[in-house]
Amino acid sequence: MTTRAGILVAVGATVAGLVTAVPTAASTGSVASTAPAAAPPTPKWTACATKAYPRLQCATVRAPLDHDRPSGRGITLALSRIPHTAKTTQGPLLVNPGGPGGSGLSMAGFVAASLPAALAAQYDVIGFDPRGVGKSTPALDCVPKHFDPVRPDAVPDSYEAEKANRNRAAAFAAACGARHGDLLPFMDTVSAAKDLDVIRRALGARQVNYFGYSYGTYLGAVYAKLFPERVRRLVLDSVVDPDGVWYEVNLAQDHAFDARHKAFAAWVAKNDTVYGLGTDPARVEAAWYRMRAAVRAAPAGGRVGPSELEDTFLPGGYYNGYWPHLAEAFAAYVNDHDENALIAAYENFAAGDSAGDNGYSVYTAVQCRDAAWPRTWSTWRNDTWQAHRKAPFMAWNNTWYNAPCATWPVEPLTPVGVSNHRIPPALLLQATDDAATPYEGGATLHRKLRGSALVVEQGGGNHGISLSGNDCLDAYLVDYLTDGTVPRAAGSGADAVCDALPEPKPLTTAKAGTDAKGSALHGLLGFRG
């Protein structure tokens, strides 16, 4: 996941004749192709300290672009590390923030700093930029500034408006094929999982420990399926439903994010003395949609139209620590016609940058390649309108975000079946009201990974829940990383339950805004993905 780019959402469009096909490498997705290759050179670590992480080190490792041709063209994977300091080490702990398309270089420092010092000292905490991402080379950038404002309204009010968005998405897919046609057949989760084993071999480790958030849970599950004997410990936080990649899980998100938007409206109503938008959640939500209509008619500052407004408030569906900041901008615009407040919120939470361009390019490349997407536009239109009628907050926005997959210039692969009985017990962490990866995903993967333990945050709506301030959840994580201990409960449901953290307070209160731990984590996980 990258800041300002990359959500797990779906719905696409077909615009015939705009994309030139790139030859398919069908074997890329083959689970059977896991034969050992020559060990890559040991990484040469150099200091790359930051103010926050003064012990951080960086390196690179070479991997084959096509793992079925290990002596062919290579790519470079960027790594980061906080090395162990204890006399006895538990080996490498690979950490991933999700995406696909998220840079993981800062995750090593964050995880090492967030775990108890004595425990972190036992691991070499390894961050990495997956293939195509960030400082790994080559890096993808299909259409720079694709999300620059003001974009067309996501919700089409005419055939012409719908066609304009379809053409825009298809043009993005065509540009990816033109600029990166040699890479796209190898941008997929199986190839990224095989990269993880290249990293393992470069580190000289017989096994690895893995800790992934969001899309990182799917990457970890695929790695465990391909290389079960190489998995020592597996932590998966905010779990992707492996049975829905990628179309079905994205449709489910439309409804889940709408529910979180309603929860935000209810929180604003509860704090009416601060925001003055009404004590009825429905009235507050109606005010938000009136704001949307207003910026559709006249974009705030010429920058924030309806699509940008949706992008701005979408992060609140990931993390309720952003609610106080979003509510301030919401109230300022509605009550005082303060466009500057809305523009500032857009710049903080949604404005695109080069990292976002890269993240979105990788996001589309991986999800469009991983699995089949409907190619018939009527399927997408019907599904989107059906979702929009019940959950209007982001259904059409998500349609256009994923629409390049409908005309993607590389044929899709078949998703890997991740059911697994050959790995040690895995630890799964899942909030009941998570919008980006709804609860059902955690329950499904719990059934598929024999011996796994599911820890649930009851009533929690944030995406990414460990190492973000919930001591109950973190205690289970620490126990697991210490000696492999997992909670056990009778039956097939949750093995342990933790209460959600309290809701945030308005910025005007004494203890206001975001929790420091939660804010740090969600700054790394990003918003769109």
mmCIF file of all heavy atoms in Angstrom, residues 22-48:
data_model
loop_
_atom_site.group_PDB
_atom_site.id
_atom_site.type_symbol
_atom_site.label_atom_id
_atom_site.label_comp_id
_atom_site.label_asym_id
_atom_site.label_seq_id
_atom_site.Cartn_x
_atom_site.Cartn_y
_atom_site.Cartn_z
ATOM 1 N N VAL A 22 -0.196 -7.545 -25.128
ATOM 2 C CA VAL A 22 1.189 -7.918 -24.872
ATOM 3 C C VAL A 22 1.231 -9.429 -24.734
ATOM 4 O O VAL A 22 0.341 -10.024 -24.119
ATOM 5 C CB VAL A 22 1.700 -7.248 -23.580
ATOM 6 C CG1 VAL A 22 3.089 -7.731 -23.242
ATOM 7 C CG2 VAL A 22 1.688 -5.726 -23.742
ATOM 8 N N PRO A 23 2.238 -10.098 -25.270
ATOM 9 C CA PRO A 23 2.280 -11.558 -25.181
ATOM 10 C C PRO A 23 2.206 -12.051 -23.743
ATOM 11 O O PRO A 23 2.788 -11.464 -22.838
ATOM 12 C CB PRO A 23 3.636 -11.904 -25.812
ATOM 13 C CG PRO A 23 3.925 -10.757 -26.717
ATOM 14 C CD PRO A 23 3.353 -9.552 -26.038
ATOM 15 N N THR A 24 1.493 -13.119 -23.545
ATOM 16 C CA THR A 24 1.301 -13.694 -22.227
ATOM 17 C C THR A 24 2.431 -14.656 -21.881
ATOM 18 O O THR A 24 2.904 -15.407 -22.719
ATOM 19 C CB THR A 24 -0.040 -14.453 -22.173
ATOM 20 O OG1 THR A 24 -1.088 -13.523 -22.398
ATOM 21 C CG2 THR A 24 -0.239 -15.154 -20.848
ATOM 22 N N ALA A 25 2.832 -14.625 -20.593
ATOM 23 C CA ALA A 25 3.757 -15.645 -20.082
ATOM 24 C C ALA A 25 2.970 -16.483 -19.089
ATOM 25 O O ALA A 25 2.969 -16.228 -17.902
ATOM 26 C CB ALA A 25 4.967 -15.001 -19.414
ATOM 27 N N ALA A 26 2.268 -17.476 -19.586
ATOM 28 C CA ALA A 26 1.299 -18.189 -18.767
ATOM 29 C C ALA A 26 1.935 -18.899 -17.596
ATOM 30 O O ALA A 26 1.319 -19.095 -16.565
ATOM 31 C CB ALA A 26 0.538 -19.195 -19.633
ATOM 32 N N SER A 27 3.184 -19.279 -17.727
ATOM 33 C CA SER A 27 3.821 -20.044 -16.651
ATOM 34 C C SER A 27 4.153 -19.206 -15.444
ATOM 35 O O SER A 27 4.506 -19.740 -14.402
ATOM 36 C CB SER A 27 5.098 -20.691 -17.169
ATOM 37 O OG SER A 27 6.021 -19.706 -17.587
ATOM 38 N N THR A 28 4.004 -17.863 -15.546
ATOM 39 C CA THR A 28 4.350 -17.004 -14.403
ATOM 40 C C THR A 28 3.576 -17.390 -13.170
ATOM 41 O O THR A 28 4.068 -17.313 -12.057
ATOM 42 C CB THR A 28 4.076 -15.527 -14.762
ATOM 43 O OG1 THR A 28 4.808 -15.224 -15.940
ATOM 44 C CG2 THR A 28 4.491 -14.603 -13.651
ATOM 45 N N GLY A 29 2.322 -17.778 -13.339
ATOM 46 C CA GLY A 29 1.499 -18.075 -12.178
ATOM 47 C C GLY A 29 1.576 -19.518 -11.729
ATOM 48 O O GLY A 29 0.806 -19.946 -10.895
ATOM 49 N N SER A 30 2.452 -20.292 -12.237
ATOM 50 C CA SER A 30 2.515 -21.715 -11.922
ATOM 51 C C SER A 30 3.031 -21.960 -10.520
ATOM 52 O O SER A 30 4.101 -21.529 -10.151
ATOM 53 C CB SER A 30 3.425 -22.434 -12.927
ATOM 54 O OG SER A 30 3.645 -23.756 -12.524
ATOM 55 N N VAL A 31 2.236 -22.666 -9.726
ATOM 56 C CA VAL A 31 2.674 -23.008 -8.382
ATOM 57 C C VAL A 31 3.804 -24.025 -8.420
ATOM 58 O O VAL A 31 4.662 -24.064 -7.551
ATOM 59 C CB VAL A 31 1.479 -23.556 -7.565
ATOM 60 C CG1 VAL A 31 1.932 -24.052 -6.216
ATOM 61 C CG2 VAL A 31 0.414 -22.474 -7.409
ATOM 62 N N ALA A 32 3.833 -24.855 -9.450
ATOM 63 C CA ALA A 32 4.814 -25.939 -9.494
ATOM 64 C C ALA A 32 6.224 -25.446 -9.756
ATOM 65 O O ALA A 32 7.189 -26.136 -9.459
ATOM 66 C CB ALA A 32 4.415 -26.938 -10.580
ATOM 67 N N SER A 33 6.344 -24.236 -10.292
ATOM 68 C CA SER A 33 7.665 -23.758 -10.689
ATOM 69 C C SER A 33 8.406 -23.162 -9.502
ATOM 70 O O SER A 33 8.488 -21.960 -9.340
ATOM 71 C CB SER A 33 7.535 -22.697 -11.790
ATOM 72 O OG SER A 33 8.806 -22.224 -12.155
ATOM 73 N N THR A 34 8.884 -24.009 -8.603
ATOM 74 C CA THR A 34 9.577 -23.549 -7.409
ATOM 75 C C THR A 34 10.936 -24.222 -7.250
ATOM 76 O O THR A 34 11.457 -24.339 -6.153
ATOM 77 C CB THR A 34 8.726 -23.831 -6.161
ATOM 78 O OG1 THR A 34 8.465 -25.241 -6.096
ATOM 79 C CG2 THR A 34 7.392 -23.076 -6.220
ATOM 80 N N ALA A 35 11.498 -24.679 -8.336
ATOM 81 C CA ALA A 35 12.784 -25.372 -8.263
ATOM 82 C C ALA A 35 13.862 -24.424 -7.753
ATOM 83 O O ALA A 35 13.895 -23.253 -8.114
ATOM 84 C CB ALA A 35 13.155 -25.891 -9.641
ATOM 85 N N PRO A 36 14.750 -24.904 -6.888
ATOM 86 C CA PRO A 36 15.779 -24.028 -6.353
ATOM 87 C C PRO A 36 16.733 -23.550 -7.426
ATOM 88 O O PRO A 36 17.078 -24.271 -8.357
ATOM 89 C CB PRO A 36 16.500 -24.918 -5.327
ATOM 90 C CG PRO A 36 16.226 -26.330 -5.775
ATOM 91 C CD PRO A 36 14.867 -26.290 -6.390
ATOM 92 N N ALA A 37 17.138 -22.291 -7.306
ATOM 93 C CA ALA A 37 18.118 -21.708 -8.214
ATOM 94 C C ALA A 37 19.379 -21.401 -7.428
ATOM 95 O O ALA A 37 19.438 -21.561 -6.211
ATOM 96 C CB ALA A 37 17.549 -20.440 -8.843
ATOM 97 N N ALA A 38 20.408 -20.985 -8.147
ATOM 98 C CA ALA A 38 21.658 -20.641 -7.478
ATOM 99 C C ALA A 38 21.422 -19.511 -6.484
ATOM 100 O O ALA A 38 20.651 -18.590 -6.737
ATOM 101 C CB ALA A 38 22.688 -20.224 -8.516
ATOM 102 N N ALA A 39 22.093 -19.592 -5.354
ATOM 103 C CA ALA A 39 21.911 -18.580 -4.312
ATOM 104 C C ALA A 39 22.388 -17.224 -4.816
ATOM 105 O O ALA A 39 23.472 -17.108 -5.391
ATOM 106 C CB ALA A 39 22.692 -18.969 -3.065
ATOM 107 N N PRO A 40 21.578 -16.177 -4.615
ATOM 108 C CA PRO A 40 22.015 -14.838 -5.023
ATOM 109 C C PRO A 40 23.119 -14.344 -4.092
ATOM 110 O O PRO A 40 23.299 -14.869 -2.982
ATOM 111 C CB PRO A 40 20.751 -14.000 -4.881
ATOM 112 C CG PRO A 40 19.919 -14.726 -3.879
ATOM 113 C CD PRO A 40 20.235 -16.181 -4.050
ATOM 114 N N PRO A 41 23.869 -13.344 -4.506
ATOM 115 C CA PRO A 41 24.923 -12.811 -3.642
ATOM 116 C C PRO A 41 24.362 -12.263 -2.330
ATOM 117 O O PRO A 41 23.230 -11.770 -2.289
ATOM 118 C CB PRO A 41 25.528 -11.688 -4.487
ATOM 119 C CG PRO A 41 25.156 -12.015 -5.894
ATOM 120 C CD PRO A 41 23.843 -12.704 -5.821
ATOM 121 N N THR A 42 25.144 -12.351 -1.294
ATOM 122 C CA THR A 42 24.743 -11.788 -0.006
ATOM 123 C C THR A 42 24.610 -10.279 -0.130
ATOM 124 O O THR A 42 25.478 -9.621 -0.701
ATOM 125 C CB THR A 42 25.796 -12.122 1.068
ATOM 126 O OG1 THR A 42 25.921 -13.550 1.155
ATOM 127 C CG2 THR A 42 25.398 -11.553 2.421
ATOM 128 N N PRO A 43 23.527 -9.695 0.368
ATOM 129 C CA PRO A 43 23.356 -8.242 0.258
ATOM 130 C C PRO A 43 24.488 -7.489 0.966
ATOM 131 O O PRO A 43 24.978 -7.915 2.011
ATOM 132 C CB PRO A 43 22.018 -7.990 0.952
ATOM 133 C CG PRO A 43 21.297 -9.296 0.908
ATOM 134 C CD PRO A 43 22.361 -10.343 0.996
ATOM 135 N N LYS A 44 24.880 -6.376 0.381
ATOM 136 C CA LYS A 44 25.877 -5.499 0.993
ATOM 137 C C LYS A 44 25.140 -4.353 1.676
ATOM 138 O O LYS A 44 24.674 -3.420 1.035
ATOM 139 C CB LYS A 44 26.835 -4.967 -0.076
ATOM 140 C CG LYS A 44 27.655 -6.053 -0.748
ATOM 141 C CD LYS A 44 28.588 -5.463 -1.808
ATOM 142 C CE LYS A 44 29.408 -6.559 -2.486
ATOM 143 N NZ LYS A 44 30.291 -5.999 -3.558
ATOM 144 N N TRP A 45 25.047 -4.456 2.986
ATOM 145 C CA TRP A 45 24.274 -3.495 3.754
ATOM 146 C C TRP A 45 25.084 -2.222 3.994
ATOM 147 O O TRP A 45 26.246 -2.275 4.365
ATOM 148 C CB TRP A 45 23.843 -4.095 5.089
ATOM 149 C CG TRP A 45 22.944 -5.283 4.939
ATOM 150 C CD1 TRP A 45 23.286 -6.597 5.021
ATOM 151 C CD2 TRP A 45 21.542 -5.247 4.652
ATOM 152 N NE1 TRP A 45 22.196 -7.400 4.814
ATOM 153 C CE2 TRP A 45 21.111 -6.593 4.585
ATOM 154 C CE3 TRP A 45 20.622 -4.227 4.450
ATOM 155 C CZ2 TRP A 45 19.785 -6.932 4.335
ATOM 156 C CZ3 TRP A 45 19.298 -4.565 4.197
ATOM 157 C CH2 TRP A 45 18.883 -5.901 4.137
ATOM 158 N N THR A 46 24.423 -1.099 3.775
ATOM 159 C CA THR A 46 25.038 0.199 4.067
ATOM 160 C C THR A 46 24.080 1.015 4.912
ATOM 161 O O THR A 46 22.853 0.820 4.865
ATOM 162 C CB THR A 46 25.349 0.976 2.768
ATOM 163 O OG1 THR A 46 24.135 1.185 2.050
ATOM 164 C CG2 THR A 46 26.332 0.196 1.904
ATOM 165 N N ALA A 47 24.629 1.936 5.678
ATOM 166 C CA ALA A 47 23.792 2.767 6.546
ATOM 167 C C ALA A 47 22.897 3.673 5.713
ATOM 168 O O ALA A 47 23.330 4.282 4.734
ATOM 169 C CB ALA A 47 24.666 3.606 7.469
ATOM 170 N N CYS A 48 21.630 3.723 6.068
ATOM 171 C CA CYS A 48 20.687 4.655 5.435
ATOM 172 C C CYS A 48 19.774 5.218 6.515
ATOM 173 O O CYS A 48 18.552 5.241 6.387
ATOM 174 C CB CYS A 48 19.893 3.987 4.323
ATOM 175 S SG CYS A 48 18.956 2.518 4.828
#
